[in-house]
Amino acid sequence: MDIAALTKRLCNLEIRRLLLIIGVAVVLVVVSQCSDLPYGKNFYSSPAYTGSASIVTVLGNFTSSNNSESRKLDVVGVVGTDVLDLEEESGHGNTDSDSNKEIELEKDASNVTLDKSFPVGINRSEDDIFSGEKTIDLRHDSLPRDSRRDESIKADDDPKTISASEFRNGAGIVSVVSQGAATDSPENLNADSKGNTKQTTEIQLEDKKTEPLQSVSVTLHDNSTMTSISILRKWNPRPTSISQMNSLLLRSPISSSSMNPRQYSTRDRELQSAKLKIQNAPIIMDNPGLSASVFRNLSQFIRSYDLMERKLKVYVYREGEKPIFHQPLMRGIYASEGWFMKLIEGNKNFVVRDPRKAHLFYLPFDSHMLRLELNGTSKQGLENYLKRYVGLIAKKYPFWNRTGGADHFLVACHDWASKITSKCMGSCIRSLCNANVARDFKIGKDTGLPVTYIRSVEDPLADLGGKPASERSILAFFAGGMHGYLRPILLHYWENKEPDMKILGPMPRDIKSKRLYREYMKSSKYCICARGYEVHTPRVVEAIFHECVPVIISDNYVPPFFEVFNWEAFSVFIQERDIPNLRNILLSIPKDKYLMMKSEVKMVQQHFFWHKKPVKYDLFHMILHSVWYNRILQIKIR
């Protein structure tokens, strides 16, 4: 009996030990899984959420991956089949030799590819329609988001390796052992402080079955994969919707003690007076040549614009040597900053020679020329160059120090302009093409600058217009290089999927293809404006030129003249995660609403035109007005 009891006791002890080991193992697995799941520790969230904004569906099919922290991931990829001159006839810049230098510098030593050889990009490059595939480098993924983009990368560099933990932390990779689908329900981005859902003008789907955002696999050397959801969360972890940006604009304007001097000058009091007049503008329901629905407040815009024409005086600093200063580039994707510089320096109505008479001070540098002239210089080096220039201005004149630069402004279109001006010129009013609210762009102070691709300086409005609505047989059109993380996902879902969806990659460079590109624009109801490496794209203005309703797929992008335009009256905003539902969203728009938007696109065209001699309400005046308007919003009334 003693032996039997002892045996039973030992068996019970072993069972307890086994159960303890199993329990510890289960806990470890659960903790490991929870640490890998982004946005909380839920293995399963509610399915697609339909809010007041456009449909948000993030149901993902995640592929299993190795969770080993000690292994190294050799990044594997395919070199682009063709490296073209991005500046020539492709919508992106000048055809001079200096442009080629920049392009060579910005080639990627890429080592990550998607299915169908779609590259996911992080580097700095221009938006391209007619180039072949390009590649990218994820060697800097373990660095902070901003710093990893600062270094120039040579195309022949050997790829390095990064640990699994570095890659997971930088990318937010979701690792799920099972083959089941994981889901994530996004937050209600349009709820007020009381928890109520606000109504917006963004397109909604009703009674339509939504498609899940399925995985678009990124194949690594060790056969690990990233899903499309992981890609979006990696490069855009906290997207800002158009509704949220509208809310930011309604908040109190950005202001500080440095922006409002202790002793107000005569010019400051003139701005205060203008602000009162704008706030108390007489109500105007409509105006010849202007559509009330296109503007946030037509009455205030007209009052502000008239005051600008009569009152505003600008001083243009003469310091700075050519070609970085005072030598505008007039062609290509960055032409906006060049055209503005050319027109403001030759303007007699706004420009004064005596800086004491000025309300605003213009810093006349060309960010693209700065990049070309200092080829090979890091972003920090370019920033230091501008910092020395500001130091020269501050030492020679009293105006910068009086307001800390708040009454100074710059106009810059290069991708890097936002970064290199954020510190040394951060207090200025910055008119930027790369208007990313998730980075350094400040709504209410800075203003968005249109990316206007100028093919001909002599005739910037060549090939304007498009077909009437009844002759537009294509529902949606896009063509362009696989720049950035978003476009490969767009093509994965929609290339060759529907006959009325012309979603293409880069087109050939021949003349026939260029004509076909413009013909597609003119024959489409909606033109897809998908972000490239950065949030902006010339397709927004191209769509407006050809009377095609822009469909902007670029989270965090602040469209041009956001402070005065009601963009939702003439364009459609779709969040990046809604790409699988793109066609359903467009088809859900009623015909009369589409016709209204197309009509408004026609009305808003005039505000995106460059003229050799500025005319009322043209692009030159709109840029200057936004700077004037934002300065007035900042100044306090005593």
Side-chain angles (χ1 to χ4, degrees):
M1 293 295 296
D2 291 339
I3 297 175
L6 180 62
T7 302
K8 184 176 180 181
R9 225 181 264 115
L10 289 175
C11 290
N12 291 337
L13 181 62
E14 291 299 323
I15 291 173
R16 290 194 193 98
R17 288 179 180 176
L18 181 60
L19 290 175
L20 178 62
I21 292 172
I22 293 174
V24 171
V26 169
V27 170
L28 290 176
V29 170
V30 171
V31 171
S32 175
Q33 291 287 351
C34 288
S35 66
D36 283 343
L37 287 172
Y39 303 125
K41 298 183 179 182
N42 296 325
F43 284 99
Y44 183 84
S45 300
S46 59
Y49 161 82
T50 303
S52 60
S54 51
I55 288 297
V56 178
T57 306
V58 289
L59 180 62
N61 300 326
F62 298 106
T63 309
S64 60
S65 61
N66 195 320
N67 287 329
S68 174
E69 300 293 331
S70 61
R71 294 184 57 188
K72 298 289 184 178
L73 303 178
D74 293 324
V75 189
V76 181
V78 179
V79 177
T81 58
D82 186 21
V83 179
L84 303 176
D85 182 0
L86 302 183
E87 305 287 344
E88 181 180 352
E89 295 291 339
S90 63
H92 316 295
N94 301 294
T95 55
D96 52 50
S97 58
D98 288 333
S99 300
N100 295 330
K101 295 178 183 178
E102 180 180 9
I103 296 160
E104 290 297 321
L105 179 68
E106 294 185 89
K107 289 178 183 176
D108 303 323
S110 112
N111 285 328
V112 176
T113 57
L114 294 174
D115 288 345
K116 304 169 71 173
S117 298
F118 290 159
V120 179
I122 63 170
N123 247 340
R124 299 82 46 203
S125 182
E126 292 97 5
D127 196 355
D128 190 21
I129 300 169
F130 302 102
S131 73
E133 294 176 358
K134 293 175 72 66
T135 56
I136 64 97
D137 193 347
L138 288 184
R139 288 171 291 173
H140 303 290
D141 282 357
S142 59
L143 298 175
R145 183 181 180 91
D146 290 330
S147 63
R148 67 168 176 252
R149 299 170 62 91
D150 290 349
E151 299 178 1
S152 299
I153 303 171
K154 295 182 180 180
D156 57 354
D157 286 346
D158 293 329
K160 297 180 181 179
T161 58
I162 54 177
S163 68
S165 59
E166 290 173 334
F167 196 86
R168 183 179 298 104
N169 292 334
I173 295 178
V174 181
S175 300
V176 180
V177 175
S178 67
Q179 296 294 327
T183 64
D184 179 42
S185 178
E187 297 176 357
N188 183 351
L189 301 181
N190 299 296
D192 59 20
S193 59
K194 297 180 181 180
N196 298 321
T197 301
K198 296 181 179 179
Q199 291 184 350
T200 71
T201 56
E202 294 181 36
I203 304 303
Q204 300 184 49
L205 279 179
E206 296 182 1
D207 300 323
K208 287 186 178 291
K209 183 178 180 181
T210 59
E211 298 179 30
L213 182 58
Q214 299 173 348
S215 67
V216 181
S217 297
V218 182
T219 303
L220 303 177
H221 186 64
D222 66 346
N223 294 324
S224 298
T225 61
M226 285 179 61
T227 68
S228 56
I229 297 178
S230 299
I231 294 170
L232 292 179
R233 287 176 177 163
K234 171 182 171 59
W235 302 115
N236 194 5
R238 287 179 291 274
T240 305
S241 69
I242 188 69
S243 300
Q244 289 175 299
M245 288 188 278
N246 286 332
S247 298
L248 289 173
L249 184 64
L250 294 176
R251 296 178 185 175
S252 299
I254 298 171
S255 184
S256 69
S257 57
S258 63
M259 294 178 178
N260 295 279
R262 294 179 181 178
Q263 294 184 347
Y264 284 84
S265 67
T266 301
R267 308 307 158 212
D268 295 327
R269 289 192 291 272
E270 289 175 350
L271 292 178
Q272 290 175 330
S273 175
K275 184 173 184 176
L276 282 173
K277 291 177 180 178
I278 293 170
Q279 290 176 342
N280 299 297
I283 297 177
I284 300 175
M285 300 303 297
D286 207 347
N287 187 75
L290 298 177
S291 174
S293 62
V294 165
F295 293 89
R296 293 182 179 274
N297 189 318
L298 179 61
S299 303
Q300 290 189 358
F301 170 77
I302 291 175
R303 187 64 166 152
S304 176
Y305 189 94
D306 289 343
L307 288 170
M308 178 193 74
E309 285 193 312
R310 291 191 287 110
K311 300 289 187 181
L312 176 60
K313 298 302 176 186
V314 178
Y315 181 73
V316 181
Y317 285 111
R318 300 176 184 177
E319 285 70 25
E321 297 182 357
K322 295 181 179 180
I324 295 175
F325 300 88
H326 310 287
Q327 183 172 311
L329 294 173
M330 305 290 285
R331 290 189 62 215
I333 192 175
Y334 303 124
S336 288
E337 59 185 8
W339 275 80
F340 181 86
M341 183 190 299
K342 179 74 173 179
L343 294 175
I344 191 67
E345 290 193 327
N347 190 280
K348 296 181 180 179
N349 182 41
F350 296 111
V351 175
V352 292
R353 294 188 176 183
D354 184 355
R356 293 171 297 180
K357 297 180 180 179
H359 303 94
L360 292 168
F361 300 82
Y362 173 54
L363 303 168
F365 74 96
D366 189 302
S367 64
H368 186 38
M369 185 61 76
L370 171 68
R371 181 74 175 86
L372 294 178
E373 286 298 306
L374 303 183
N375 192 3
T377 304
S378 67
K379 288 185 182 179
Q380 184 62 50
L382 300 180
E383 183 179 340
N384 291 336
Y385 184 92
L386 293 178
K387 184 177 181 180
R388 290 193 294 270
Y389 172 70
V390 170
L392 172 66
I393 295 298
K395 183 177 180 180
K396 187 173 181 179
Y397 299 89
F399 309 105
W400 178 278
N401 293 327
R402 193 177 73 90
T403 63
D407 52 3
H408 289 57
F409 74 97
L410 60 94
V411 177
C413 201
H414 194 276
D415 293 2
W416 289 13
S418 176
K419 177 67 176 179
I420 64 177
T421 61
S422 63
K423 293 181 180 178
C424 60
M425 298 179 175
S427 59
C428 299
I429 300 169
R430 302 179 303 159
S431 185
L432 301 170
C433 289
N434 190 13
N436 188 339
V437 73
R439 298 282 183 86
D440 304 308
F441 188 90
K442 295 179 175 61
I443 292 179
K445 179 181 76 70
D446 300 327
T447 181
L449 179 66
V451 186
T452 55
Y453 171 46
I454 302 297
R455 295 179 175 87
S456 171
V457 177
E458 297 301 319
D459 188 8
L461 301 181
D463 207 30
L464 179 69
K467 295 180 180 180
S470 59
E471 298 179 17
R472 292 178 178 259
S473 58
I474 302 172
L475 177 64
F477 166 67
F478 172 84
M482 292 295 97
H483 298 165
Y485 62 83
L486 186 69
R487 295 183 184 179
I489 298 175
L490 175 66
L491 263 69
H492 170 80
Y493 280 100
W494 294 112
E495 185 181 31
N496 299 322
K497 295 298 193 303
E498 297 288 345
D500 60 351
M501 299 275 286
K502 298 294 183 183
I503 308 299
L504 313 172
M507 299 177 70
R509 293 184 56 189
D510 56 85
I511 296 176
K512 181 180 179 181
S513 296
K514 294 168 187 175
R515 289 176 179 172
L516 181 61
Y517 176 84
R518 291 190 287 271
E519 182 63 23
Y520 279 147
M521 277 263 179
K522 295 179 179 183
S523 303
S524 299
K525 292 181 175 68
Y526 300 97
C527 290
I528 308 301
C529 307
R531 62 167 293 163
Y533 290 117
E534 299 293 344
V535 292
H536 59 293
T537 168
R539 285 164 184 79
V540 176
V541 175
E542 283 182 334
I544 293 173
F545 265 41
H546 298 305
E547 301 172 25
C548 182
V549 175
V551 178
I552 299 174
I553 310 179
S554 179
D555 294 347
N556 307 323
Y557 175 55
V558 184
F561 317 130
F562 185 68
E563 56 281 339
V564 295
F565 277 158
N566 174 25
W567 273 84
E568 291 164 284
F570 57 91
S571 57
V572 179
F573 289 84
I574 295 179
Q575 290 193 283
E576 295 173 4
R577 56 192 171 189
D578 293 334
I579 284 178
N581 299 310
L582 175 60
R583 188 168 186 270
N584 286 342
I585 291 173
L586 298 180
L587 289 175
S588 71
I589 300 174
K591 182 178 180 180
D592 57 346
K593 182 175 178 62
Y594 161 72
L595 293 175
M596 179 61 70
M597 286 193 292
K598 185 181 183 303
S599 175
E600 300 294 17
V601 167
K602 179 69 174 178
M603 291 295 296
V604 84
Q605 273 183 338
Q606 61 177 320
H607 305 302
F608 292 88
F609 290 164
W610 287 114
H611 298 275
K612 291 184 178 180
K613 294 182 179 180
V615 301
K616 195 176 183 68
Y617 301 133
D618 70 349
L619 186 48
F620 168 75
H621 283 97
M622 291 300 294
I623 295 172
L624 194 58
H625 174 267
S626 284
V627 174
W628 149 270
Y629 186 72
N630 280 5
R631 175 55 184 158
I632 286 178
L633 291 180
Q634 292 172 21
I635 199 162
K636 292 182 178 179
I637 298 177
R638 287 187 174 180

